[in-house]
Amino acid sequence: MTDQRSQAEIVRKSLKRRYRKERRFRLYGILAIFIALASLFILFADIISKGHTGFVKTTITLDVSLDSGLMYLDDPTDKDQWSNADFKAPILVALQAQVPEAAGAAEKRELGRFLGTFADSEIRNLLTKNPGLLNTTQTIEFPTHDRVSVYVKHADNPRYSIKLSEQQQRWVDELVQKGIIDTSFNDVLFSRGDSREPANAGVLGAIVGSLLTMLVTLAISFPVGIAAAVYLEEFAPQNKLTDFIEVNINNLAAVPSIIFGLLGLAVFINLFGMPRSVPVVGGLVLALMTLPTIIISSRAAIKSVPPSIREAAEGVGASKMQVVLHHVVPLAMPGMLTGSIIGMAQALGETAPLLLIGMVAFIVDVPDGLFSSATVLPVQIYLWASSSEQGFVELASAAIMVLLTFMIIMNALAIWLRKRLERRW
Amino acid sequence: MQTANLLPLVLVLAVVAYSLAYMRSRAVAAPLGGIRNLKALPFYYAARAALWCAIPALVVLAVWAGFEDKVIQGIVIASLPPDTWPESAGQASLILSQISNVAAGSLNPEFLPKHITGAASLLEAMQDKSGNFKAILVVLIAVLGATFAWTRVAPHINARKNVETTLRRIFFACAALAVLTTAGIVFSVFLETMRFFDRVPITEFLFGTSWSPQTAIRIDQIGSEGAFGVIPLFTGTLLISAIALLVAVPVGLLSAIYLAEYASKRMRSTIKPVLEMLAGIPTVVYGFFAALTVAPFIRELAATVGMEASSQSALAAGLVMGIMIVPFVSSLSDDVISAVPQTMRDGSLALGATQSETMKKVIFPAALPGIIGGILLAASRAIGETMIVVMAAGLAANLTANPLDSVTTVTVQIATLLVGDQEFDSAKTLSAFALGMLLFIVTLLLNVVALKIVRKYREQYD
C-alpha cells in the first residue's frame, strides 16, 4: 500500500511540473502570434507615422505684383525677353516685404531659399496663359523648399534633421503665424508624375503606369490561365506530357520573381527588340509570373464542380466541349475570379522583375499608352525610398499607403466575391 | 500601320466573318426546312469562320511584330559603309539609337555624319514599307481565311467538331505556355551564361572568393580586371536566409501549433487572415521598412552596447525577411498539423498525456516531413527574395558571418548589374545571367525536394 501511495505522490508531483510545461508551451504559441501581429502593427504604424505628412503640402501664399520692370519683360510678345526674363524677382520682392528684418543682400538670399526650385516657372506658366495679368497684383500659392517643409511639419520631431539656420527658423515661424506659410491637402501627389523636387512629385504617373501594366497582365494571364486550367483538368489525357506540364506549372509558381525579369530582358527586349520601360513588356513579364497562380486556383475551382453536373449535361447529349463551356466553367467562375484577383494583387506589388526591364527610369510625364515609357507604383516607392532628400521619404510612405489601399481593396473584393458567389454542393 | 491598330481591325474582320457565315448557314438551311437539317448549329459555322479569319492573321501579326524591329535594324546596320561598321554590340546599339533618334526627329541631323542620316532615312523608309506590307498581308490572310470558311458552310459539314477541335488545341497551347516559359527561362539564361563562361572560367565563378564585377572600359585601364567569384555572394545569401529562417521557423511553427490545437474557432478565423496579410504586403514595402526603420534601429542598439553595426546590415534584412515568410511556414505547417488524424490525438490524450505532450511527442513527429517541406519552400522564397535585400543589405561583397556587417546577395547583384543602360556583351552584364542560372537551379532543387516531401507525406493518411 505504501508503495502505491508513493507512486501517487510521484504522479502528483510530476503533474504539477507537466502542467507548468503545458502552460509554458501555450505561452510560447501566444508569444509567437503576438510577435507576428506586433510586427505587422509596427510596420503599419511606422509607415503611417512616416507617411501621413506626405498627404500634406507646405505652401507660401503671397500677393505678387507682376511688375514688368522687375521681371525685365516690357514686351510680352518678344521671344528674347521671355527667355531672359527673371520670373523669380517679383516673388522675392513679395517675400521680402513680409519679412522686413531681412535687409542685407545675404539675408535676402537666404530668404529666397524658402522657395521651391520651380516657383518661377509657376509665374511663367501663369503669364503664358494670360499675358493680360502683367502689371497686376495676384495672390499666388507656391510650394516651399523641402527644407522649409520639413521644418514646418517636423519641427518638434528629433528624428528629422532640420536644415534651416536659427534665423531662418525664426522667419518661418513668423510667416507661419501670419498664415503666409501654411499646410494643406497635397493635391499635387495625385495630379502629377515624378519630379526631382519633392514638392512637385506625385504618384499619378505611377498609378496610370500600374493600371496600364495590370491591364496587359490581366488581358493575357486571365484567358490563358483559364484555358490552361480547363485543358489540364478536363481534356488532358493521363500521359507523360501532361505530367510534365503539371510539374512545370507547380515549379513556375515558386521560381523567384527576378528570374522572370531576366527572361523578359533576354526574350522581349533583346530578342524581339521591344522598347524598354513600357507597360506592354512589364505586363507580359508579370503575366507569365501570375499565370501559375491563376492556373492552380482555376484548377481547384474546376475540380470543385461536382461530376453530377457533367453527367447530367452529357446525359442530354452535350459534347464534352459544351459540357465544359456551358456548365463547368460558368459554375467555376467565382473561384477562378478570386484566384485571378489574388494573382493580380501580387503582380501589382511586384518590383524586382520590372527593375530589370528598365521601368526604373526617371519619368515625369503621365504615360498615355501601352507603348509610352512608364513606371509603376512599387518601383516609384523604391526610387523615392532610395532618394536622399527627406521629402521623398514621406512621399514614399504616402505612396506605400496608396499601394496598400489598392491591395486591400483587391483582396477585399476577392473575399467578397468568394462569400457572395461561393456555393456548396 | 501600327500593330496596335491592326489588332482591333482583325477583330472587326472576325466579327464580320462571323455574321456573314451565320447568315449564310441560315440561308443554306432555309430550303432544307430549317436549321435542324444542318449538321451543326449556325453558331458553329459562324464561330468557325471567325476562328479561320482571326487565328492565322493574329499568328502572322505576332511573328511579324516580334521580329520586325530586329530585321530592320540588321538591314540598316548592314547598309552602313563598311568602314563605319560597329565593332561591338554596344557600339551597334549606340549607332542604332542615334539613327532612330534622327528618324524620330529628336536629334538634329546637321551635326551628324552623313552615313547616319542616310541610314536614318533608310530606316524610316523600311519601317514604312514593313508597316504597309504587314497590314496588307494580315488583312489578306484574314479575308482569305474567312472566305475559305464561308465557302465551307454546307449542310453536310459538321462545323461543331471543327470548332471544338480548334478550341481544344488553343486550350492545349495555353497549357503548353507554362512549359514554353520554363524553356524560355532556361534557354535565354543558359545561352547568356555560356557566353559568360567563355570569358570567365566556370571554376573561378563557382569557387572564387572575391566578387567585384568591374571590367575595363578601355583596354589599357589599370585595376579593373573584374573578379567573378560567387562564394561571397552565396555566403551573404545564406547568412540572410539563415537569419530569416531563425525568425520565421519558430514564430511560424509555434503560431501554427497554437492556432491548430489551442485556439478557439473564432480566434483562428480572425488571426489566420491577419497573419496571411503579412504574405500579401509587397516586398518593396518590407524593403522600405528594413532600410529606413529597422537598420537604423539596429545600428543605434548596437552602438549602445558598444558594438559597431553597418548602416546596411544583414541582420536588418534577415529579420524583416523572416517576418515576411512567417505566413509561408505557418500556413503550410497548419495544413499538415490539421491533416494528422484526430484518432492519434485522442489516443495520446486517452493515455493521459497533456496537450503539449501530445503535440510534441505524437503530432509533431507525424507532421515533421510536411513541416520540413514547408520550411524548404520558405527557404527558397528567402533565397530568391530581391527587394528587401536590394534596399537593406548593401552592395559590398563581404565574406563574413557577422550579421551586423553589410553583405550582398545573388539577387542584389543581378538587380544592380542589370539596372540602367548596359552593353550586352561585357562579362559584367553576362555575369548577372550566370547568377540568375545559379539562383534558378538552387531554388528549383529546393522546390522539387520540398514538393516531393510534402506530397509523399500527404499520401500516408489518405
Side-chain angles (χ1 to χ4, degrees):
Chain A
M1 283 307 267
T2 50
D3 199 34
Q4 265 185 357
R5 197 178 300 151
S6 73
Q7 193 119 28
E9 196 66 26
I10 292 169
V11 167
R12 205 174 303 127
K13 262 189 190 158
S14 77
L15 210 54
K16 230 181 200 168
R17 204 186 62 239
R18 286 170 60 204
Y19 280 149
R20 237 189 346 258
K21 259 192 172 166
E22 170 75 26
R23 273 198 300 275
R24 217 179 307 139
F25 190 70
R26 246 174 214 248
L27 197 70
Y28 290 150
I30 294 176
L31 207 65
I33 292 177
F34 177 77
I35 290 175
L37 294 184
S39 348
L40 186 69
F41 178 76
I42 292 171
L43 176 72
F44 278 134
D46 179 61
I47 281 160
I48 292 172
S49 78
K50 276 205 182 96
H52 69 99
T53 47
F55 291 106
V56 170
K57 64 174 177 182
T58 316
T59 49
I60 303 187
T61 314
L62 293 168
D63 293 327
V64 184
S65 82
L66 300 167
D67 184 22
S68 57
L70 211 54
M71 293 186 282
Y72 308 105
L73 185 73
D74 304 318
D75 179 13
T77 52
D78 185 357
K79 278 224 164 149
D80 280 348
Q81 279 195 9
W82 262 106
S83 53
N84 293 328
D86 182 2
F87 294 105
K88 207 163 185 173
I91 318 175
L92 289 179
V93 170
L95 188 56
Q96 278 151 17
Q98 293 297 335
V99 190
E101 55 173 305
E107 288 179 324
K108 279 185 181 171
R109 214 175 313 130
E110 272 198 25
L111 202 54
R113 295 211 181 105
F114 283 7
L115 293 168
T117 324
F118 299 113
D120 48 344
S121 64
E122 226 147 289
I123 300 226
R124 173 199 286 271
N125 292 341
L126 188 70
L127 285 177
T128 328
K129 271 186 211 145
N130 328 291
L133 291 179
L134 203 62
N135 290 323
T136 60
T137 300
Q138 298 292 324
T139 309
I140 311 176
E141 211 181 61
F142 303 98
T144 62
H145 193 277
D146 191 34
R147 271 174 272 176
V148 178
S149 185
V150 168
Y151 175 70
V152 171
K153 289 181 196 167
H154 306 287
D156 45 0
N157 190 339
R159 262 207 344 225
Y160 289 85
S161 55
I162 307 296
K163 288 181 182 158
L164 293 180
S165 68
E166 272 181 29
Q167 191 180 35
Q168 285 175 321
Q169 291 185 15
R170 220 171 42 243
W171 290 342
V172 171
D173 287 339
E174 212 172 285
L175 289 173
V176 170
Q177 260 178 9
K178 280 192 200 166
I180 287 168
I181 291 185
D182 203 1
T183 52
S184 56
F185 176 69
N186 190 355
D187 50 344
V188 175
L189 186 65
F190 295 101
S191 60
R192 292 205 199 161
D194 198 4
S195 167
R196 294 276 182 230
E197 182 91 357
N200 288 298
V203 290
L204 183 66
I207 289 177
V208 174
S210 272
L211 285 180
L212 291 172
T213 310
M214 287 297 108
L215 201 69
V216 177
T217 307
L218 185 67
I220 294 168
S221 63
F222 186 62
V224 173
I226 287 178
V230 166
Y231 179 80
L232 290 175
E233 214 41 60
E234 299 284 339
F235 296 107
Q238 275 301 316
N239 61 16
K240 284 256 161 75
L241 181 64
T242 320
D243 278 353
F244 182 62
I245 292 178
E246 256 194 80
V247 171
N248 240 299
I249 287 169
N250 283 332
N251 276 332
L252 269 185
V255 167
S257 60
I258 196 165
I259 302 278
F260 285 93
L262 284 175
L263 171 76
L265 182 65
V267 173
F268 297 129
I269 292 178
N270 284 347
L271 183 64
F272 291 152
M274 287 178 163
R276 293 173 140 254
S277 72
V278 295
V280 171
V281 180
L284 280 171
V285 169
L286 291 182
L288 291 182
M289 212 189 80
T290 338
L291 208 50
T293 318
I294 295 183
I295 294 177
I296 291 170
S297 63
S298 299
R299 287 188 68 175
I302 292 173
K303 236 181 239 166
S304 71
V305 176
S308 57
I309 305 267
R310 283 167 245 250
E311 283 155 13
E314 271 162 10
V316 294
S319 70
K320 181 79 188 163
M321 188 61 85
Q322 283 170 332
V323 173
V324 169
L325 291 186
H326 298 173
H327 301 279
V328 177
V329 170
L331 286 173
M333 200 41 98
M336 294 171 162
L337 280 178
T338 27
S340 307
I341 293 171
I342 288 168
M344 295 300 290
Q346 273 173 14
L348 177 68
E350 199 51 68
T351 323
L354 301 180
L355 298 185
L356 299 195
I357 57 158
M359 289 194 108
V360 276
F362 172 72
I363 289 149
V364 177
D365 298 322
V366 176
D368 55 358
L370 294 178
F371 284 93
S372 68
S373 291
T375 190
V376 294
L377 258 180
V379 177
Q380 186 73 75
I381 292 166
Y382 167 67
L383 284 174
W384 281 345
S386 38
S387 164
S388 56
E389 270 153 287
Q390 284 180 328
F392 278 124
V393 172
E394 58 185 28
L395 280 183
S397 313
I400 287 177
M401 284 192 253
V402 174
L403 179 63
L404 287 179
T405 311
F406 278 124
M407 318 255 336
I408 290 171
I409 290 173
M410 284 170 95
N411 281 311
L413 187 69
I415 292 170
W416 180 78
L417 257 181
R418 185 154 38 190
K419 283 242 163 84
R420 183 81 205 275
L421 302 174
E422 194 179 52
R423 85 166 76 177
R424 285 182 178 276
W425 279 287
Chain B
M1 197 186 249
Q2 284 292 313
T3 312
N5 299 334
L6 272 172
L7 212 60
L9 182 67
V10 170
L11 292 184
V12 168
L13 284 176
V15 171
V16 172
Y18 179 92
S19 35
L20 285 179
Y22 194 89
M23 286 193 290
R24 180 168 154 101
S25 66
R26 294 202 74 118
V28 166
L32 298 173
I35 54 170
R36 74 195 136 88
N37 291 314
L38 296 174
K39 275 262 175 155
L41 287 172
F43 165 79
Y44 286 104
Y45 291 105
R48 188 179 59 170
L51 288 175
W52 266 100
C53 171
I55 289 174
L58 287 180
V59 169
V60 168
L61 180 62
V63 173
W64 194 292
F67 290 99
E68 187 179 27
D69 286 348
K70 263 304 196 235
V71 172
I72 293 179
Q73 282 171 2
I75 295 173
V76 167
I77 288 283
S79 77
L80 293 173
D83 54 319
T84 58
W85 272 355
E87 282 154 17
S88 67
Q91 215 183 347
S93 77
L94 200 69
I95 292 180
L96 271 173
S97 76
Q98 252 183 349
I99 294 173
S100 58
N101 277 341
V102 174
S106 57
L107 204 62
N108 195 339
E110 281 168 35
F111 305 111
L112 292 167
K114 211 159 179 176
H115 67 269
I116 298 272
T117 52
S121 50
L122 176 70
L123 178 73
E124 248 175 314
M126 295 274 302
Q127 275 172 342
D128 266 5
K129 224 185 271 176
S130 157
N132 290 338
F133 197 59
K134 176 175 68 182
I136 293 169
L137 187 72
V138 165
V139 170
L140 197 69
I141 290 177
V143 171
L144 276 180
T147 321
F148 177 72
W150 192 72
T151 57
R152 285 176 53 87
V153 177
H156 66 278
I157 292 172
N158 191 347
R160 179 175 61 77
K161 257 191 166 159
N162 296 160
V163 170
E164 288 185 351
T165 320
T166 313
L167 265 184
R168 209 175 145 146
R169 290 202 181 125
I170 292 175
F171 288 177
F172 173 75
C174 290
L177 194 68
V179 182
L180 277 180
T181 310
T182 314
I185 289 174
V186 172
F187 275 111
S188 59
V189 179
F190 184 75
L191 285 181
E192 307 282 330
T193 308
M194 284 299 110
R195 284 173 66 196
F196 173 70
F197 287 139
D198 280 348
R199 275 150 231 248
V200 178
I202 187 164
T203 46
E204 189 201 321
F205 178 70
L206 287 180
F207 304 112
T209 53
S210 121
W211 176 267
S212 83
Q214 292 309 318
T215 44
I217 297 171
R218 299 187 315 270
I219 297 165
D220 55 337
Q221 206 170 344
I222 306 162
S224 47
E225 249 312 86
F228 296 96
V230 84
I231 299 273
L233 306 189
F234 226 76
T235 48
T237 308
L238 288 182
L239 179 62
I240 290 182
S241 306
I243 297 171
L245 288 177
L246 274 180
V247 175
V249 170
V251 172
L253 199 55
L254 284 170
S255 45
I257 289 173
Y258 190 85
L259 287 180
E261 299 290 315
Y262 293 104
S264 65
K265 215 173 174 189
R266 205 162 136 213
M267 184 179 173
R268 191 181 148 90
S269 65
T270 44
I271 289 184
K272 227 184 151 186
V274 177
L275 276 186
E276 266 153 22
M277 267 177 83
L278 281 174
I281 292 175
T283 51
V284 69
V285 177
Y286 282 113
F288 178 84
F289 181 63
L292 278 96
T293 305
V294 179
F297 177 74
I298 285 175
R299 196 183 44 203
E300 276 168 35
L301 202 68
T304 54
V305 295
M307 283 196 292
E308 203 166 316
S310 154
S311 60
Q312 291 185 310
S313 58
L315 190 59
L319 281 179
V320 174
M321 197 192 280
I323 295 299
M324 185 192 87
I325 55 179
V326 161
F328 294 99
V329 178
S330 77
S331 67
L332 266 166
S333 312
D334 193 37
D335 283 351
V336 284
I337 290 171
S338 311
V340 174
Q342 187 63 31
T343 47
M344 287 176 77
R345 269 183 209 94
D346 293 344
S348 169
L349 291 173
L351 288 174
T354 64
Q355 244 176 321
S356 66
E357 283 161 353
T358 308
M359 186 63 230
K360 281 187 269 192
K361 301 254 162 71
V362 179
I363 299 174
F364 187 71
L368 194 60
I371 289 172
I372 288 177
I375 291 172
L376 285 184
L377 280 181
S380 115
R381 211 22 91 149
I383 289 172
E385 167 49 39
T386 311
M387 290 321 290
I388 296 178
V389 284
V390 163
M391 293 170 85
L395 291 173
N398 291 329
L399 190 54
T400 173
N402 177 4
L404 295 177
D405 254 353
S406 153
V407 296
T408 192
T409 69
V410 175
T411 48
V412 170
Q413 289 304 317
I414 297 177
T416 44
L417 286 170
L418 290 180
V419 166
D421 286 325
Q422 72 287 111
E423 43 176 338
F424 258 92
D425 53 349
S426 76
K428 187 180 163 189
T429 45
L430 290 177
S431 69
F433 286 91
L435 290 178
M437 193 81 202
L438 192 69
L439 182 66
F440 182 69
I441 293 172
V442 170
T443 50
L444 193 68
L445 284 179
L446 274 177
N447 293 333
V448 170
V449 172
L451 285 176
K452 276 241 163 83
I453 292 178
V454 172
R455 196 171 294 167
K456 196 170 172 190
Y457 162 71
R458 281 215 177 118
E459 280 164 7
Q460 280 186 4
Y461 299 113
D462 276 347

